[in-house]
Amino acid sequence: MPSSTGPSIDTITEGGRVTQVGEGQEAEETSPAVVTFGAPTVGELLAERYELVEHINNDSAGRLVWRGVDVVLRRPVAVVLRYPGGDSATEMLQAAVAASRVIHPNLVGVYDAIDEDDRAYVVREWVDGQSLRELVAADGPFDPARATAIGNAVASALAAVHATGMVHGNVHPGTVMISDDGRVVLADARTDGADSQQNDLRAVGGVLYFALTGHWPHGEAPLHGATAGHGRAALPDAVRDATGAIAAPRQVRAGVPAYLDDLTMDLLDREIDPPASDVLAAELSRLDIPADEQFLEQAGPLRFTAEPGEEPSPLAAAGGRKVAIGIAGMLAVALVGLLIGINALGGGDDGDKEPVAQPSNSAPASPGGGDEPVAQVRKLTIQDVRIIDPDGDRAEVRNAEKVIDGDDDEGWETNTYRTNAKFGGIKKGMGVWIDLGAPHTIKQLEATLSATGATVELRAGARGDFPSSSAGDKQLVNAYSTVIGTPNENGGTKMIFDGFQEGDKYQYLLFWITKLPVKDNGTTWKLGVQEIVVQGS
């Protein structure tokens, strides 16, 4: 059996959610290394569990990336190998151990980390997708909305890492992965001790710059103390002036909003301290809205420093940083309102003139005749979905994405249980965790189920209720203490929750199942969740 060396572990299991293949920059030569003792082969079974299926590539750190299959759980995995193992694999294994302690939807997860002396390997969950580097190289720079969404995902992942006191240390377009369904995950953390949380945050600026322009603002010089060739050397350098200063994204490409240009350049400016990762994630989440709802120019820029002669922002108290969010936009709106009000009152020498209609971009007035705008209720976009199984073996957590695919005929379902409707007495419940991407006012949640008779409650939480460190499913369930209530059943398999408090906003929802409906034979119990739709504003 494999023995433990390096970080003093034998096996680290079930540490996260999603991984990628080919993370980082591929080496110039992607064929397998010269075969020596310990070289992997197709069909080989590692740790009596992970079968190697296909060699994908070699990354520039000298590791071999394989596609494999977990023969116990019958699911695809990614296997990253280094041989020989021992001291040469210590950094890789230590990074895997650290990564396994942080669970977040935008972070790569780790299943196993094993050292067999002659070789070492890390086993991660497989997901089909490409790196940001590959996508930009193939399709060109991203639009501002998509670039903002990617920056938001990376900052959120870093907030989870930094909450534990750790550093990622390897953020660049090769380690930012986008799955085929659009999900963004950050991979390939390093533990060489040469990095800082501030450098992680400056790297978010680099990722934004690359997504917007297709150029890497750090050239071939390493950003975090890594070697220049580690995943970044092949990236096109930024446009520079005679002094070597980089051009702003708006100077490289038309259509980049001023607020996003300012944010990116502030993050890259080493004379300006970046905000804490959770503050940056919150701001990018505020700016991350669908492309068909772009009102971001009115939202105001995020700046980390005041211009000469300006008063510091009242938000500068967060760690002593000078962060001004949207103040200019709010002042402009207030000024327009004041001018319209003066005109309506007919003051000054023009009081005898007929009132002139003023252009307005505001929402329609409320039905009651008041001045408050009416928020438009619409179907909210669910950014992420996950099956929560705190008492199970995680054999039922696949196909969560089918709950939000718009098809009532396909969904996620539990196993079939015997003895009783409460999961056969094996577990207290299971659930579907939903992330709306940002806090929203919610009108209702409608769930389409495979059968009637299930007992379900809806739990909710705002941003601060989501565990950001080493919490597993049990801690996640405990974090959602706000129960919206029991559903109104709509004459069949639809459940509607509409007990949301007016004025409250929610980002995370937990559709928590405690009792299953009986199957046709009357001796077994099972439930399928076909579709979940959230309405709100």
Side-chain angles (χ1 to χ4, degrees), residues 507-529:
Q507 176 171 349
Y508 304 104
L509 301 173
L510 180 60
F511 185 83
W512 185 242
I513 307 161
T514 57
K515 186 176 179 182
L516 303 173
V518 66
K519 292 186 67 176
D520 295 338
N521 58 19
T523 60
T524 57
W525 291 263
K526 184 176 185 177
L527 178 65
V529 181

Side-chain angles (χ1 to χ4, degrees), residues 263-515:
L263 167 59
T264 302
M265 295 303 289
D266 280 351
L267 286 169
L268 294 174
D269 190 343
R270 291 189 175 275
E271 299 299 319
I272 301 175
D273 287 338
S277 51
D278 56 346
V279 174
L280 177 60
E283 177 63 11
L284 284 167
S285 177
R286 182 179 74 89
L287 300 175
D288 180 12
I289 62 177
D292 58 351
E293 299 173 19
Q294 288 296 317
F295 301 103
L296 296 183
E297 285 287 0
Q298 302 172 19
L302 167 70
R303 300 306 301 267
F304 306 144
T305 182
E307 297 296 335
E310 291 182 353
E311 289 294 325
S313 164
L315 297 178
R321 299 176 176 89
K322 300 175 182 179
V323 182
I325 304 177
I327 294 177
M330 290 186 288
L331 289 175
V333 172
L335 180 59
V336 171
L338 178 61
L339 293 175
I340 293 174
I342 292 173
N343 185 75
L345 291 174
D349 295 335
D350 298 328
D352 296 330
K353 296 181 180 180
E354 291 293 327
V356 179
Q358 298 293 325
S360 173
N361 293 324
S362 62
S366 62
D371 294 329
E372 291 295 325
V374 177
Q376 182 179 3
V377 176
R378 57 184 173 84
K379 178 181 176 181
L380 299 178
T381 299
I382 296 176
Q383 300 291 337
D384 192 21
V385 64
R386 169 183 171 186
I387 305 303
I388 302 301
D389 187 15
D391 300 315
D393 57 5
R394 302 191 62 79
E396 300 168 79
V397 301
R398 290 175 292 181
N399 299 322
E401 68 281 357
K402 293 183 178 180
V403 173
I404 58 172
D405 63 359
D407 185 358
D408 287 354
D409 295 330
E410 291 190 1
W412 164 80
E413 61 182 11
T414 69
N415 286 341
T416 299
Y417 289 85
R418 301 181 183 276
T419 307
N420 61 57
K422 296 183 177 180
F423 295 89
I426 298 174
K427 59 183 74 174
K428 296 180 181 180
M430 291 185 68
V432 181
W433 172 81
I434 295 168
D435 180 5
L436 297 173
H440 288 274
T441 299
I442 300 177
K443 181 68 174 178
Q444 70 173 31
L445 178 145
E446 179 182 285
T448 302
L449 308 180
S450 62
T452 60
T455 300
V456 180
E457 64 184 22
L458 188 64
R459 302 181 181 183
R463 176 177 298 279
D465 294 322
F466 180 62
S468 60
S469 57
S470 58
D473 282 3
K474 290 184 179 179
Q475 293 92 331
L476 184 60
V477 171
N478 292 336
Y480 294 97
S481 57
T482 303
V483 178
I484 302 302
T486 55
N488 300 317
E489 296 200 28
N490 189 20
T493 59
K494 290 190 181 295
M495 283 188 173
I496 297 178
F497 292 83
D498 55 8
F500 296 91
Q501 294 295 321
E502 187 174 354
D504 288 349
K505 291 191 175 183
Y506 308 89
Q507 176 171 349
Y508 304 104
L509 301 173
L510 180 60
F511 185 83
W512 185 242
I513 307 161
T514 57
K515 186 176 179 182

